[in-house]
Amino acid sequence: MKTPAGLQALIDDGVIDEVLRPLKSGKEASVYVVRSGDAIRCAKVYKDMAQRSFQQRVQYQEGRKVRGSRQARAMGKATKFGRKEAEAAWKNAEVDALYQLVAAGVRVPQPHGYFNGVLVMELVADADGYSAPRLGEVELSAETAREFHRVLIRQVARMLCEGLIHGDLSEYNVLVAPDGPVIIDLPQVVSASGNNAARTMLRRDVGNLTISLARFAPELLDTHYAEEMWALFEQGELQPDSELSGHFVFDESDVDVDSVMQSILDAREEARIRQLGREAAQAEP
């Protein structure tokens, strides 16, 4: 195939040897399958964001560290320089998170470097070497659904132990590899301690996964892992190997459980709409 402009520099520098095929394309990035020596990997080429999407990303960037006070002030005022800095921070966030999470034992793609706006990383493949399907594209037995749920809850808890929340987790950004689910797409990763919406986003992430897998194991809907792990996190007691039960006693005077579940359902619908948008963008010539 014709080499995309964003990847030619990587070929010239010997980072990759060949672009094999496009994998997916969306409003935020295009991903290609590439060859680097004998290894088959993927290259994620980030796109520059329009002002429209910049405003939508503000809630995710709250609490993220930036290089200095000048950059922080400019980002807060959304000046031209500030938008440029926010753009760089948005792209770097996924790279930094992947390295941190791989080191922590979280099931995410192994990064292999970040070069001029391009993230080169592991291609999560199926048993035949093709790109692995999304969680929402596979049929599961009740037993497998329960196991996937257990594994994914463990990954979310490990992320939280690292002070990170995915922020957009759903069946659309979990790939099913032969050895189990792998979490992908982390440019919107959230600071658990620095973002006021962190608890809500954690609850939404866990709720999306639970609702998806409950299609095959309906009893999962009776679990409350997000609230359980958040309570442990706030108390400083959450550990990567913490045994979670999924049980949580709500303070009925403080929490409207029906509203909690409705917010999860709303988030799932938003995720579905976003996925339709990604597919529409990919279908554009």
Side-chain angles (χ1 to χ4, degrees):
M1 63 168 288
K2 181 180 179 181
T3 302
L7 294 177
Q8 185 59 53
L10 274 66
I11 292 179
D12 295 341
D13 293 341
V15 175
I16 62 175
D17 297 299
E18 183 183 4
V19 180
L20 300 179
R21 64 181 185 274
L23 183 58
K24 67 175 184 176
S25 179
K27 294 180 179 179
E28 297 179 354
S30 295
V31 183
Y32 300 88
V33 178
V34 301
R35 181 177 62 83
S36 180
D38 294 330
I40 304 300
R41 295 171 177 165
C42 62
K44 187 171 187 175
V45 183
Y46 292 98
K47 299 178 181 179
D48 290 332
M49 301 297 166
Q51 175 67 18
R52 170 180 53 82
S53 57
F54 172 83
Q55 295 295 341
Q56 293 173 348
R57 287 177 286 145
V58 171
Q59 65 170 322
Y60 293 100
Q61 293 174 318
E62 179 186 354
R64 287 186 183 174
K65 295 180 180 179
V66 294
R67 291 181 297 170
S69 58
R70 176 174 177 243
Q71 286 81 1
R73 289 195 301 270
M75 287 169 63
K77 295 178 181 178
T79 63
K80 182 177 181 180
F81 173 72
R83 290 195 297 273
K84 182 178 179 181
E85 288 297 311
E87 191 71 32
W90 179 260
K91 295 175 181 178
N92 290 331
E94 180 167 30
V95 182
D96 294 342
L98 284 178
Y99 278 105
Q100 181 180 349
L101 294 175
V102 165
V106 179
R107 289 181 57 85
V108 295
Q110 171 72 51
H112 294 288
Y114 181 62
F115 312 89
N116 301 317
V118 179
L119 170 61
V120 179
M121 58 184 166
E122 170 193 4
L123 174 66
V124 180
D126 63 15
D128 297 318
Y130 297 102
S131 55
R134 296 186 183 99
L135 181 61
E137 298 171 336
V138 297
E139 292 293 320
L140 303 173
S141 66
E143 182 180 0
T144 301
R146 286 190 288 268
E147 175 61 16
F148 279 12
H149 189 262
R150 185 193 67 79
V151 170
L152 287 166
I153 291 298
R154 174 67 63 194
Q155 306 316 304
V156 171
R158 286 181 175 174
M159 289 179 66
L160 187 55
C161 287
E162 292 295 310
L164 299 176
I165 296 169
H166 188 286
D168 191 29
L169 192 55
S170 74
E171 62 190 33
Y172 301 114
N173 40 37
V174 174
L175 300 181
V176 180
D179 58 347
V182 178
I183 295 172
I184 63 170
D185 290 341
L186 291 121
Q188 69 296 307
V189 66
V190 169
S191 167
S193 59
N195 192 304
N196 288 325
R199 179 181 178 181
T200 298
M201 292 186 184
L202 174 69
R203 192 169 59 201
R204 185 175 65 187
D205 283 355
V206 172
N208 283 340
L209 295 176
T210 299
I211 290 172
S212 176
L213 291 167
R215 290 182 294 144
F216 312 105
E219 71 275 9
L220 294 176
L221 291 174
D222 295 327
T223 61
H224 300 285
Y225 285 99
E227 295 294 351
E228 181 186 9
M229 70 175 75
W230 183 261
L232 291 172
F233 174 72
E234 283 192 316
Q235 296 162 12
E237 297 177 1
L238 183 66
Q239 301 295 326
D241 58 352
S242 293
E243 290 295 332
L244 302 174
S245 66
H247 301 300
F248 184 80
V249 179
F250 288 89
D251 181 352
E252 298 290 348
S253 64
D254 184 51
V255 178
D256 184 344
V257 179
D258 290 338
S259 294
V260 169
M261 294 307 299
Q262 186 59 51
S263 69
I264 293 172
L265 291 170
D266 290 344
R268 178 172 171 78
E269 180 63 15
E270 290 174 10
R272 187 187 70 82
I273 292 171
R274 285 196 298 272
Q275 177 59 21
L276 291 174
R278 294 187 187 107
E279 292 173 353
Q282 189 170 1
E284 291 177 358

